Amino acid sequence: MAEAAARSLRGPRCLLWALLCAGSWSLISAQTPQVIQVPENHSVNLPCKAIAGQGTPSRLEWKFEGSGNREFVYYHDQLTDNYKNRAEFHLNEIYLKSATRQDSGKYTCQVVGDSGLSESVVDLIVQVPPSKPKAEVPSSVTIGNRAVLSCVETDGSPPPTFKWYRNDILIPTDPKTNTLFQNSSYTLDSKTGVLTFEPATAFDAGDYACEADNQVGTSQKSEAVRMEPSEVNVGGIVAAVVVLLIVFGLAAFGIWFAYSRGFFKRRDTTNKKVIYSQPSTRSDGEFKQTSSFLV
Ligand SMILES: *[C@@H]1O[C@H](CO)[C@@H](O)[C@H](O)[C@H]1NC(C)=O
Ligand SMILES: *[C@@H]1O[C@H](CO)[C@@H](O)[C@H](O)[C@H]1NC(C)=O
């Protein structure tokens, strides 16, 4: 936002005085983030490129934006609480003594000095090896339908890429490149780890495992999970319907039989007897009402 404001201030001047644009251009080019990778628990320097040509800055601030949080690193000429014990401030850089995975994110150094406002950005990737991924395979897959398998891994930084194996054989990205998979129809997204069979066939049965790799530490392979595509069981459905019809038929017959033998009537008279015997303490009026209601 601040850099946008600075640009709009300089914009008209730039149109007229090409030579004066140098400051503006350096501001824009400084916005291209510098990417720095560091293994977790190692120290790292985050350079402030924006300091160049600013003399002794009248203001210097560092901001951090991670996944879900934003905070100042350096503000009002001092490191903020979260950083003062684990970082050092130098005019041209911030030194993190031991970077943790939560430190991955965007660091912006904002400087106000001789040539106005300038900013520079460092994208810090704290490298974390992948943990053992989980192969998520649908428990029931029907031949002819879609089946979506996913590989889930949450620690790896930078985000890992994924491979899949069927019966310990690497599944090629393109099924046509391996005769073992030429009867299969699937897409494999190595970035998301999603393997989609469309449609699943009997040839796709097997033990599926996935592997996550981000070039940090060793790649990690999941446990294998069985996938067994099955036919829609038409015979079973027909049998179930027939059994249901027989049950309904028997029930209907039973009710009709009981009714025709007066079973329900007899139960009614039993109920009445009980009710008749109750109102012994009531007055005659009440009793009459009750009996007339029932008869
Ligand atoms: C860094 O240190 C923490 C705490 O000691 C540990 O849990 C973590 O696994 C370490 N990271 C790496 C990549 O070794
Ligand atoms: C592919 O399908 C053909 C024809 O159904 C079959 O003969 C062959 O064995 C299948 N290949 C594989 C690898 O399953």
Side-chain angles (χ1 to χ4, degrees), residues 192-215:
T192 60
V194 174
L195 172 61
T196 308
F197 291 93
E198 188 145 34
T201 70
F203 295 111
D204 301 325
D207 293 322
Y208 285 83
C210 65
E211 190 175 43
D213 182 26
N214 67 353
Q215 315 283 322

Side-chain angles (χ1 to χ4, degrees), residues 40-41 101 127 129:
E40 189 173 34
N41 303 331
R101 55 193 73 191
Q127 297 171 333

